[in-house]
Amino acid sequence: MKPLAFYTESFGCQMNVYETDVISSLLVERGARPVDAPAEANCIIVNTCSVRDHAERRAMGRLLDLSRHRDAVLVVCGCMAQRLGTELFSTVPAVRVIAGTDAYASLPQAIEEALATGDRFALLDRNDEAVYELHRAPDQTGVSRYVAITRGCENFCSYCIVPYVRGPVRSRGEASIIREISSLERAGVREITLLGQNVIDYRDGNIDFVGLVRRALSETGIGRFRFLTSHPRDLSPEIFALMADD
């Protein structure tokens, strides 16, 4: 089997950008290499969004366009993959792997098997405990990066699909987040945007969002932190004090 050369595209939110980096790090850890164009790849990964119908139609059009690369395993990830599931196999017949939002840890193995056998794989099981972290800093980091600290949401706003495709809020361990921030700092990053569908709802034991940020400020050299997305219901005086102090 040829070594895995993969190409990625992300649609939608900053969380998808981050999770595409996570998928890339998982593949690189197994010996795969990223490439800059779909024509150079034997695996094409498209991370999709379902927040609006327009986002899905854009992703669907791009998948149909990428279907011309018949020698590549075409992979669909993200919220649209979770929402539509195996329906994507008939809508875009070239798709070989579908991975829902909780399945990224299993994705490298499925890609390797699809490349070796030509079979199709649908990784759609829900796991309300799933969290992700970068396994290695990207080779080209720049000065600003995203770090996800929570996934999911439980607010069930009438206009939003997130609770249905990403499940309830769960927080990453504090130590894992600090380790990732430190790794990015060593790679040259100077600004971090903390991500979550409801980022300020973070909690790891007794550590809340404010405690996490204060630890990151004291234990790393990152000079600027941003955060999104937050819900007004979870704002507190402590968060405003943190922003004023630091």
Side-chain angles (χ1 to χ4, degrees):
M1 186 176 71
K2 293 191 298 184
L4 186 65
F6 66 94
Y7 169 80
T8 61
E9 287 189 13
S10 293
F11 289 81
C13 67
Q14 293 89 343
M15 183 70 81
N16 271 11
V17 174
Y18 173 81
E19 290 181 351
T20 297
D21 283 346
V22 169
I23 292 167
S24 297
S25 74
L26 289 168
L27 291 170
V28 169
E29 198 173 49
R30 293 173 73 105
R33 63 182 178 88
V35 296
D36 295 327
E40 303 170 12
N42 55 8
C43 175
I44 299 171
I45 301 167
V46 181
N47 201 353
T48 61
C49 174
S50 273
V51 70
R52 296 182 183 90
D53 178 66
H54 178 65
E56 287 198 358
R57 286 191 282 111
R58 285 184 61 230
M60 199 71 74
R62 184 57 174 153
L63 287 168
L64 291 168
D65 179 48
L66 291 168
S67 296
R68 71 183 187 275
H69 299 282
R70 298 187 180 278
D71 293 332
V73 171
L74 184 57
V75 180
V76 188
C77 304
C79 291
M80 188 180 80
Q82 186 71 57
R83 190 183 80 81
L84 296 179
T86 55
E87 180 183 329
L88 282 164
F89 286 141
S90 57
T91 307
V92 187
V95 169
R96 301 263 289 281
V97 181
I98 300 168
T101 54
D102 295 333
Y104 299 150
S106 303
L107 189 53
Q109 182 67 33
I111 291 171
E112 290 173 4
E113 292 185 21
L115 192 62
T117 66
D119 291 341
R120 285 175 162 178
F121 296 86
L123 312 174
L124 298 167
D125 290 344
R126 297 301 303 271
N127 176 4
D128 290 343
E129 303 297 321
V131 293
Y132 300 121
E133 64 178 286
L134 282 175
H135 286 234
R136 63 190 298 275
D139 292 333
Q140 297 178 336
T141 58
V143 297
S144 181
R145 300 295 296 190
Y146 299 123
V147 172
I149 65 171
T150 71
R151 301 184 77 239
C153 183
E154 298 167 26
N155 288 321
F156 290 94
C157 299
S158 60
Y159 55 84
C160 184
I161 199 173
V162 164
Y164 302 97
V165 293
R166 287 189 173 268
V169 175
R170 58 271 206 197
S171 300
R172 285 178 58 187
E174 178 191 19
S176 167
I177 296 167
I178 299 301
R179 183 169 62 246
E180 185 171 313
I181 292 172
S182 297
S183 173
L184 291 170
E185 180 191 358
R186 291 192 295 273
V189 172
R190 294 296 175 262
E191 176 185 88
I192 296 288
T193 301
L194 301 174
L195 296 179
Q197 276 81 33
N198 192 7
V199 68
I200 58 178
D201 198 21
Y202 177 87
R203 183 164 293 278
D204 179 25
N206 294 324
I207 303 299
D208 62 3
F209 177 78
V210 171
L212 173 70
V213 176
R214 291 201 184 280
R215 180 178 172 188
L217 286 166
S218 66
E219 296 187 16
T220 74
I222 300 296
R224 175 177 291 180
F225 285 91
R226 302 177 183 268
F227 62 90
L228 55 93
T229 302
S230 56
H231 194 286
R233 185 176 65 186
D234 298 304
L235 284 169
S236 67
E238 290 77 17
I239 291 175
F240 290 111
L242 171 69
M243 296 169 68
D245 293 343
D246 294 293

